[in-house]
Amino acid sequence: MSDLLAIGTSATQLYQKALTTVSNNVANLNSVGYSRQEAVLIENTPAQYGVHYLGGGAFLEGIKRSYDQFIEQNLRTSASEVATQRPLVHYTNRLIDMLGSEDNALAPAFDRFFNVAEQLSLNADSIPLRVDLLSAADFLAGRFRNLDQQLRDLDTESGRDMSSLASQINRLAGQLASVNQQLQKNTVRDAQAPALLDQRDRLLNELAGFTGLHVTEAANGEVDISIGQPGNLTTLVSRGTHTELSVEFPVDRPASQHLVLDKYGRNLTLSGISRGELGGLASFRDDVLAPLMFQLNVLAESFVNEVNTAHRSGMTLASEAGGDLFTLTRQFRVDNGSQQPVAGVRIQEAEPPALQEHDLSVTWFGGEQWQVLDHRSNQVQALQGSVQGDVLQLHVAGLTLRFEQLPLPGNAVRVRSDSQAAQGIALAVTDPRALAAALQYEVTQDSDNAQSLTSRLSAVPPSANPLTEDIPSLAQYSGLNRPVSIATSRTQPALQVPAGLAEFQIAFLPEPGSSAQIELFSAHFNHLLGASKAGDPAALAAMQPRFDNAEHYLETHRSASSAGSFSYRGLDLFYGHRAAEFTQSVAIPAVQQPANSDLIDQGDLVLNGVAMPALRIADGATLTAQHVADWVNDSGSAVTASVVTIPMTDSQGNALTDPDTGEAMTHDVVRFSHAMVQWRFGAQGKSGDLALLGLSTGLYGSGTVPEDLLVYMASPAPAADGTPLQAQVRAGALASAGDAAPGALDEQFTVHFSQPAGQPLRYEVRDANGTRLALRDFDMQRGVALPGFSLHFDRAPAAGDEFSVAANRDARGDNRNLLTLISLRDAEIVNQQTVHDYYVTIVNTIGNVQKISTLNLQASEIIHDQAVNEKSVVAGVNLDQEAADLIRFQQAYQAAAQIITTSIKLFDTLLSSSR
Amino acid sequence: MKVATNQYFRELTRLLTEQGGEVASLQARLASGEKNLLPSDDVNTAVKVLDLNALMSHHDTQQTNLKNLDSRLVQEESVMASIGSMLMRVQELAVMGANDTYSADNRRTMAAEIRGYKEQLLMLANSRSSDGSYLFAGAKSGSPPFVAAQDGTVQYQGDATRLQIQLDSGQVLEVNTTGFELFAGGSNTRNTSLDAGSAFATLENLALALESADRDGIAAQMDEIDSLRLNMELARTKIGVRRNVIEVRADILEEQKVSLTGLLSENKDLDYTQAITELSSRMLALEAAQTTMSKISQLVLFNYLR
């Protein structure tokens, strides 16, 4: 009602409320997240009196909360941005302090190692200096391990930070969800309690500091919150419910993490957190810490491999070959794919170890059948392993896996290597005398040489010969006995026999009458077994591509096929057929006696030293086991033969049965009885002759193979090239490259230069026994190639010059291998950089991250400060403003109170007038 | 533009603490004398320091090596000088011995003296360095290079290896003088006894020639001694050349070290003048902030509402 009293009382009440609001603002001056509240006074609806309107006073429309949605959003975004940079700055600072301080850095440790080595190079036999070098090496290894440990500690610490942040986020999300529930009671945001909205905003700001948020506000003020990478968001809070965030750390990869939402429910993987402190930590771990740990490992591994290679080609004070100077313990993890470790598997690495990570799934299908999936290249291979007793063995990717417990057939076993080189680096040498400062070999010049030359020996590490890389090697049959299909060729080798193989056997069974034969060459065109090629330039030219084009054909040690047994540099060889007691031939082929010739000519075969007579039966008759047995028994050799009937078997060894009668089929074979039956060829003998008797022809080698050899399956008739033959191949153990080559340090080589008329200067390499190993044209650039070394001269030698290369014993003052080690300081051995530069680059890279994130932090702090200021302009309490409002409302209140007094006086006047 | 009261105080406080922090860090640097307290203060400098330290330590090593090598060369040279003067005396004796005026007894005395010199020569040729390795044995420095057999002949058991060390300039310095170079003008042959040990054979032969008054023999041996002296001079000259190289190199290293030390100091040491100036200006700013804050914070309207 628009009269004085009503207006007055409503006004006083109104201004009382306004004053309360002002005092609330003043009281909440320092409350966190408080938004200034303002009483909104609105004119009351006027009453209509005829044509006039009389005002009805004022009323309180509501308490407005000072709020700007866009400023709030700005504030949250800038808070996230600032919080992202802080962990980066903090942790990169710590990393730089760790890596860049003079006391802790790796670079001074390298300096010390190389400097002491340089001092030692002046006095290579000084024991105190050697002890110094060992302690410098130990110090270096210790620094690596130390740094690695510190990095792992940082990994743990930052991981813990992430976990605690995740639980903070969960707490805030939970609180926001319950705030949402309370907000549900109203449908309009303006009707919500300001304190509730303040709390909501406060929680949102705090949460924004931890992670970048995407906030959607409903009409009534409820919020939905999503987190994650832009474009790939996942909901964290949805109205009154929230999902929990957790961080998981994979065991096998350091400094990595998975963010998982709703772990015990739907278990969603987050694409990643983009901003906020959690995002900053994740970015530090992914972009800085993990690559750093990897680089440290690369540095350790490259350095150790180079140093070890140099050290292994040196000679210790005790005149022995140097071993490894440092060891790297490489960890292997074997599990069944779901992190359960599998026991009973031993893993050995090939020497030298490859700088590669392994991630293989190996499945056994019984017997020797394996399947291997390489997870890094996603390639599947079927491989053949071997069984020795109860132990399964498999060679794959430079590893030898030995399963001492049978794995489950069909179930994959995961094998992973952990190249944590920086963690496992250690000094392997403790005895100062075992430091290999000297060279292993020494060159002496003959006194008759035309002039005195300066020579230089350099070690050549063993590597695959590119000319014969594609030829199958007997090494893969090491410990096995396998059939192999070989195509005859007079010019292409069929197999290679690697140096260091303990023994081998290659046997084949051709057609009767075949003249296929095995020829043996060394890798230096030195003909060891077979018919001479000296008069066949076409054949030599056809064979040359497999040998270095400077190599000449040598046949000094060639044995004709008829030699039977011969030996080459300690390897005993036998060509023919050799078998122990009671062996029998396979079935005698049913050959018909032709009219005009013997089946086997006189003297073509020699049995245990006795030349066999001709083998001839009645014209047109078929050769039987009995014929052969009689022939052998009448020959006068010490071997006796008898005929036995044995069941027929197929190639797998299963007994054959006659399809008509159902009975097992049998055949007659010849059994030879002698402790050692040896068949070799006469001058005209050929493998077809042995095949006529059902016997295979083989090359048998026993004793260690001294150098790489090539086996040819040749046939004199050109038309026969390409005929496939089935051979049975067996090989013994192969000495690993880590062991010194057999007898290496006792080897001695001589080099003789000669120059036949009209030919370029050539040289010949002989071993200590005078065995000619190779004959080559001489080239100044390439020098003389020796097994494991190359020899260079400052000027060309003259024809007739002689040099000898022998083990460098008792050269206690020889520092030449040490000089090689010292040269590693300036060699680009890691990623085309020296070790010092690589380390410095690592520090610089982190320094760049630090600088950029510091600048970003400063910039985002400025933006954040601006946003805070803007908010405080809109929602902050200024005491002067409140004081002015206080005065204003107080005066208004007094005035309104005066209205009441006036209306009372009016009423009194009215009352007193009616008396 | 309105400034909320608590925002105003927050800002001021932050500025005050920031300034205070800067002053404290400056003070810490002044106290320590270091430009950067931690590597993370300035990564570029920290990295440069690592590089400079590497260079410095390498220089130190090289200087030590050069000094040690020089003292070895000095020792070798003095041995050669002794041998040289001994050979000169032997030649005098040979000349005297060829002269008929001396009796058989005199010649026997001379022969004995010469044999004495042969013993001394063996000792000198087997000289050892201060750490016990034999100087003239090539790489086989662990055992005496010259060994006398029962019959008095001397065999050379060392080898012909010329050891070297490398300098960071890429130069290569020869370290040793082998027995071949000492007595035979240097050659790398397999015929060990004939060449390097022949000096001893010469002396022995001379003594025999004196005893048997074999003038032709004496003349022949004198020729041998002449060539021995020549070889010795050649070896001494080579050592002289090497010492020159060492001296030049050592001078260069010293110069480089001086400039490296300067560079290191530039990077590591605090510039006091600049730091103190900065400190005074920051302290001034801090004082100003504190004073204005105390004055302005008094100005509130509420103070006037009495």
Side-chain angles (χ1 to χ4, degrees):
Chain A
M1 181 168 141
S2 56
D3 70 83
L4 218 55
L5 187 61
I7 291 175
T9 40
S10 75
T12 47
Q13 282 177 344
L14 180 68
Y15 286 114
Q16 199 178 37
K17 289 196 188 117
L19 280 167
T20 315
T21 310
V22 169
S23 57
N24 187 35
N25 282 342
V26 170
N28 280 303
L29 178 68
N30 292 317
S31 301
V32 177
Y34 177 78
S35 302
R36 182 173 175 272
Q37 289 166 6
E38 208 176 299
V40 179
L41 309 174
I42 297 289
E43 192 187 346
N44 232 337
T45 24
Q48 189 173 20
Y49 288 100
V51 259
H52 315 290
Y53 288 94
L54 224 53
F59 78 101
L60 183 70
E61 191 192 39
I63 310 290
K64 191 182 89 166
R65 174 176 169 259
S66 304
Y67 174 77
D68 185 325
Q69 185 187 15
F70 299 106
I71 291 183
E72 274 302 316
Q73 204 171 317
N74 224 10
L75 188 62
R76 278 198 296 269
T77 316
S78 57
S80 294
E81 204 53 57
V82 169
T84 313
Q85 306 300 331
R86 285 226 176 87
L88 275 173
V89 171
H90 170 79
Y91 279 110
T92 49
N93 277 343
R94 284 178 63 180
L95 274 181
I96 292 170
D97 288 338
M98 214 187 278
L99 297 170
S101 81
E102 290 172 69
D103 300 324
N104 212 13
L106 210 48
F110 279 120
D111 292 338
R112 181 170 155 195
F113 176 73
F114 286 116
N115 284 339
V116 175
E118 263 192 49
Q119 284 190 356
L120 182 61
S121 71
L122 191 55
N123 274 315
D125 54 353
S126 154
I127 297 287
L129 282 176
R130 280 170 174 251
V131 169
D132 260 352
L133 183 57
L134 286 183
S135 98
D138 194 32
F139 178 70
L140 177 60
R143 269 285 165 91
F144 262 114
R145 290 194 302 264
N146 200 322
L147 268 179
D148 178 82
Q149 188 53 48
Q150 289 180 338
L151 291 180
R152 278 169 204 277
D153 288 343
L154 261 189
D155 178 10
T156 312
E157 195 184 318
S158 58
R160 266 207 301 267
D161 271 350
M162 285 189 88
S163 297
S164 92
L165 279 179
S167 48
Q168 301 249 41
I169 290 174
N170 291 338
R171 173 183 61 86
L172 288 171
Q175 286 174 341
L176 271 166
S178 53
V179 165
N180 272 346
Q181 280 169 2
Q182 292 184 344
L183 286 170
Q184 267 167 15
K185 295 175 189 146
N186 274 321
T187 48
V188 177
R189 189 182 65 215
D190 290 338
Q192 301 281 16
L196 201 56
L197 290 174
D198 278 348
Q199 187 188 19
R200 180 202 71 179
D201 287 338
R202 205 172 55 247
L203 289 170
L204 280 175
N205 280 339
E206 211 182 324
L207 191 58
F210 294 140
T211 163
L213 300 175
H214 182 85
V215 178
T216 332
E217 194 179 356
N220 66 345
E222 281 180 284
V223 280
D224 288 338
I225 302 174
S226 318
I227 57 176
Q229 302 278 20
N232 201 349
L233 298 169
T234 324
T235 312
L236 181 68
V237 174
S238 171
R239 299 308 161 94
T241 58
H242 74 286
T243 39
E244 298 251 316
L245 176 69
S246 50
V247 191
E248 287 178 348
F249 303 99
V251 164
D252 54 350
R253 283 199 351 248
S256 66
Q257 64 282 329
H258 295 314
L259 295 160
V260 175
L261 218 48
D262 196 13
K263 178 170 173 170
Y264 300 106
R266 290 160 300 156
N267 201 349
L268 309 165
T269 311
L270 268 180
S271 56
I273 298 276
S274 56
R275 291 197 311 279
E277 200 177 334
L278 196 62
L281 273 174
S283 161
F284 164 71
R285 286 164 62 92
D286 291 338
D287 301 333
V288 178
L289 188 57
L292 174 61
M293 292 176 86
F294 176 72
Q295 283 169 333
L296 201 63
N297 283 335
V298 165
L299 180 60
E301 214 163 332
S302 309
F303 176 72
V304 167
N305 278 340
E306 292 286 331
V307 167
N308 280 349
T309 305
H311 197 253
R312 274 200 292 261
S313 45
M315 183 89 101
T316 67
L317 275 187
S319 292
E320 287 170 350
D324 282 343
L325 186 57
F326 292 100
T327 53
L328 288 175
T329 50
R330 193 198 280 261
Q331 306 273 31
F332 285 99
R333 242 192 341 274
V334 181
D335 58 48
N336 65 356
S338 48
Q339 312 277 347
Q340 296 276 358
V342 169
V345 184
R346 290 204 297 148
I347 303 182
Q348 217 182 335
E349 266 192 281
E351 297 274 332
L355 218 90
Q356 66 176 93
E357 308 262 335
H358 298 94
D359 193 354
L360 309 165
S361 276
V362 176
T363 316
W364 183 52
F365 288 107
E368 293 168 348
Q369 308 299 323
W370 296 83
Q371 191 185 69
V372 174
L373 163 63
D374 186 337
H375 286 273
R376 287 172 316 129
S377 62
N378 269 323
Q379 277 185 344
V380 181
Q381 281 184 292
L383 289 177
Q384 225 167 14
S386 65
V387 184
Q388 286 161 0
D390 283 336
V391 174
L392 302 178
Q393 192 166 295
L394 177 66
H395 299 281
V396 60
L399 301 173
T400 303
L401 306 173
R402 283 173 61 89
F403 289 82
E404 279 155 9
Q405 293 174 18
L406 291 184
L408 290 173
N411 280 23
V413 172
R414 191 90 179 258
V415 176
R416 275 175 284 210
S417 73
D418 233 339
S419 156
Q420 306 292 321
Q423 188 184 34
I425 177 176
L427 184 62
V429 172
T430 46
D431 183 359
R433 284 181 303 252
L435 265 177
L439 279 188
Q440 285 180 354
Y441 288 89
E442 179 61 347
V443 182
T444 38
Q445 306 184 33
D446 190 61
S447 51
D448 298 327
N449 284 358
Q451 51 183 344
S452 172
L453 300 175
T454 311
S455 59
R456 193 182 79 242
L457 258 186
S458 36
V460 172
S463 61
N465 181 355
L467 295 170
T468 52
E469 255 183 329
D470 54 328
I471 308 294
S473 163
L474 280 191
Q476 62 186 308
Y477 301 107
S478 175
L480 304 173
N481 188 344
R482 287 268 178 280
V484 175
S485 178
I486 300 176
T488 57
S489 164
R490 288 169 307 144
T491 56
Q492 296 298 334
L495 293 167
Q496 341 182 24
V497 186
L501 198 61
E503 44 128 15
F504 65 94
Q505 178 186 319
I506 304 165
F508 67 102
L509 182 62
E511 293 295 315
S514 158
S515 42
Q517 59 185 21
I518 293 180
E519 301 208 343
L520 189 63
F521 279 75
S522 83
H524 299 297
F525 219 179
N526 198 354
H527 195 172
L528 300 176
L529 174 70
S532 169
K533 304 257 184 292
D536 190 354
L540 288 181
M543 292 178 86
Q544 186 79 46
R546 284 294 176 183
F547 303 97
D548 190 284
N549 54 14
E551 305 260 24
H552 292 278
Y553 176 71
L554 270 182
E555 54 169 353
T556 325
H557 306 288
R558 179 184 66 82
S559 293
S561 313
S562 52
S565 54
F566 58 106
S567 90
Y568 175 68
R569 296 186 74 198
L571 176 67
D572 291 321
L573 292 159
F574 179 84
Y575 183 59
H577 179 96
R578 191 168 71 181
E581 193 158 12
F582 294 128
T583 317
Q584 52 218 20
S585 64
V586 296
I588 307 291
V591 173
Q592 282 208 321
Q593 173 67 52
N596 294 325
S597 60
D598 301 329
L599 284 171
I600 298 180
D601 292 326
Q602 158 106 26
D604 274 357
L605 289 178
V606 178
L607 174 58
N608 280 34
V610 172
M612 297 299 280
L615 173 62
R616 194 185 182 125
I617 55 179
D619 278 358
T622 309
L623 187 64
T624 64
Q626 191 59 52
H627 289 130
V628 174
D630 291 338
W631 174 67
V632 171
N633 290 329
D634 292 339
S635 66
S637 81
V639 180
T640 50
S642 52
V643 178
V644 296
T645 310
I646 57 170
M648 272 173 100
T649 56
D650 64 9
S651 54
Q652 256 89 13
N654 304 318
L656 292 171
T657 51
D658 189 337
D660 298 329
T661 62
E663 289 174 354
M665 290 163 67
T666 63
H667 56 189
D668 292 341
V669 299
V670 181
R671 173 174 290 165
F672 303 96
S673 65
H674 191 275
M676 178 62 76
V677 178
Q678 290 196 32
W679 292 88
R680 60 180 179 79
F681 297 105
Q684 307 295 329
K686 51 192 195 294
S687 58
D689 294 334
L690 279 177
L692 210 55
L693 308 176
L695 296 172
S696 61
T697 304
L699 178 64
Y700 304 79
S702 55
T704 319
V705 178
E707 56 180 289
D708 290 344
L709 303 172
L710 294 173
V711 173
Y712 288 75
M713 192 68 82
S715 179
D721 270 0
T723 311
L725 284 176
Q726 273 300 105
Q728 191 71 16
V729 174
R730 207 181 70 202
L734 177 64
S736 71
D739 306 338
L745 283 182
D746 298 321
E747 290 264 34
Q748 195 177 326
F749 300 101
T750 49
V751 182
H752 303 258
F753 282 86
S754 62
Q755 189 159 22
Q759 303 272 4
L761 182 66
R762 56 175 64 174
Y763 65 92
E764 189 183 285
V765 178
R766 294 189 202 157
D767 75 353
N769 299 321
T771 311
R772 298 172 90 195
L773 298 184
L775 179 67
R776 285 187 211 107
D777 291 335
F778 178 70
D779 174 65
M780 273 294 281
Q781 293 273 35
R782 297 180 61 194
V784 172
L786 294 166
F789 295 93
S790 67
L791 180 60
H792 287 83
F793 302 101
D794 60 340
R795 282 160 297 171
D801 279 356
E802 238 185 57
F803 301 86
S804 67
V805 177
N808 187 25
R809 295 185 184 283
D810 296 324
R812 297 172 65 97
D814 185 2
N815 67 353
R816 283 169 294 175
N817 201 44
L818 198 58
L819 290 180
T820 309
L821 213 70
I822 292 169
S823 72
L824 289 178
R825 172 192 240 158
D826 297 325
E828 295 176 345
I829 57 182
V830 193
N831 204 22
Q832 274 131 29
Q833 291 181 299
T834 66
V835 286
H836 178 92
D837 288 346
Y838 187 76
Y839 182 76
V840 158
T841 309
I842 290 177
V843 179
N844 265 333
T845 310
I846 299 181
N848 283 339
V849 174
Q850 181 226 30
K851 273 183 244 169
I852 291 174
S853 41
T854 308
L855 287 172
N856 282 343
L857 181 63
Q858 285 171 357
S860 29
E861 268 175 349
I862 291 174
I863 295 175
H864 180 65
D865 286 344
Q866 266 181 350
V868 168
N869 272 337
E870 274 178 26
K871 176 165 179 187
S872 82
V873 165
V874 167
V877 174
N878 181 296
L879 279 184
D880 288 341
Q881 184 186 35
E882 301 308 313
D885 281 349
L886 204 61
I887 297 172
R888 177 159 60 104
F889 291 134
Q890 187 192 24
Q891 287 182 345
Y893 183 84
Q894 280 175 340
Q898 206 55 27
I899 295 174
I900 296 175
T901 316
T902 311
S903 79
I904 292 172
K905 279 210 185 112
L906 281 181
F907 193 60
D908 277 343
T909 311
L910 197 60
L911 280 179
S912 67
S913 71
S914 61
R915 226 173 283 145
Chain B
M1 188 191 78
K2 177 184 101 174
V3 177
T5 311
N6 63 352
Q7 172 68 1
Y8 168 75
F9 277 104
R10 239 202 325 258
E11 272 296 309
L12 269 178
T13 318
R14 190 169 65 91
L15 284 167
L16 277 174
T17 48
E18 255 181 43
Q19 292 282 24
E22 290 284 337
V23 168
S25 127
L26 262 173
Q27 194 244 349
R29 281 190 279 160
L30 279 167
S32 71
E34 302 260 345
K35 197 194 260 188
N36 294 313
L37 294 167
L38 290 172
S40 52
D41 292 342
D42 186 349
V43 184
N44 284 342
T45 307
V47 161
K48 252 192 278 220
V49 166
L50 283 181
D51 284 339
L52 287 172
N53 277 339
L55 279 174
M56 283 271 281
S57 64
H58 195 194
H59 267 64
D60 287 340
T61 308
Q62 300 237 311
Q63 282 181 318
T64 313
N65 264 4
L66 286 178
K67 212 158 55 148
N68 290 341
L69 179 57
D70 197 55
S71 49
R72 181 203 168 114
L73 290 178
V74 164
Q75 194 185 0
E76 284 188 11
E77 207 172 359
S78 88
V79 167
M80 289 180 199
S82 308
I83 295 180
S85 54
M86 217 167 56
L87 288 177
M88 225 163 51
R89 172 74 187 138
V90 167
Q91 274 188 327
E92 281 175 20
L93 286 175
V95 165
M96 291 197 302
N99 199 330
D100 278 335
T101 54
Y102 286 93
S103 69
D105 273 340
N106 289 341
R107 289 207 196 88
R108 264 200 292 278
T109 322
M110 288 182 214
E113 196 178 335
I114 288 179
R115 285 211 176 85
Y117 287 138
K118 184 178 158 207
E119 296 283 318
Q120 255 193 305
L121 184 63
L122 186 64
M123 247 174 39
L124 282 172
N126 282 340
S127 298
R128 299 168 79 153
S129 70
S130 54
D131 62 352
S133 51
Y134 290 91
L135 289 176
F136 301 109
K140 294 197 179 358
S141 57
S143 38
F146 292 93
V147 172
Q150 286 284 39
D151 60 357
T153 54
V154 173
Q155 293 263 8
Y156 177 58
Q157 308 274 25
D159 67 12
T161 311
R162 311 270 273 285
L163 296 172
Q164 299 167 334
I165 56 171
Q166 260 196 332
L167 300 175
D168 63 349
S169 57
Q171 273 177 304
V172 151
L173 268 185
E174 302 238 332
V175 172
N176 66 339
T177 307
T178 65
F180 288 117
E181 285 173 292
L182 195 58
F183 292 129
S187 57
N188 180 354
T189 76
R190 277 178 299 186
N191 223 331
T192 55
S193 63
L194 206 52
D195 293 325
S198 65
F200 302 92
T202 305
L203 289 179
E204 182 60 37
N205 291 341
L206 182 59
L208 287 172
L210 275 173
E211 282 173 341
S212 55
D214 174 7
R215 213 179 267 136
D216 290 332
I218 295 176
Q221 297 311 318
M222 276 179 68
D223 286 339
E224 288 288 331
I225 294 182
D226 265 339
S227 67
L228 276 176
R229 282 189 65 197
L230 208 62
N231 287 337
M232 200 65 53
E233 284 308 304
L234 197 63
R236 276 187 77 178
T237 316
K238 282 195 200 160
I239 289 190
V241 166
R242 267 184 267 160
R243 287 195 69 203
N244 275 341
V245 170
I246 289 177
E247 195 178 330
V248 167
R249 191 75 210 140
D251 283 341
I252 294 178
L253 281 177
E254 193 55 44
E255 264 178 48
Q256 284 180 343
K257 205 162 144 199
V258 166
S259 68
L260 275 178
T261 314
L263 271 175
L264 204 56
S265 159
E266 251 179 62
N267 279 304
K268 276 179 73 170
D269 296 340
L270 185 64
D271 180 350
Y272 271 90
T273 325
Q274 187 193 26
I276 290 175
T277 316
E278 201 180 327
L279 182 65
S280 354
S281 76
R282 283 209 186 268
M283 280 173 65
L284 188 64
L286 186 61
E287 268 185 61
Q290 285 168 342
T291 322
T292 49
M293 179 175 181
S294 59
K295 282 216 179 336
I296 294 176
S297 60
Q298 308 270 356
L299 298 172
V300 185
L301 192 55
F302 275 99
N303 287 343
Y304 298 97
L305 289 179
R306 303 230 178 270

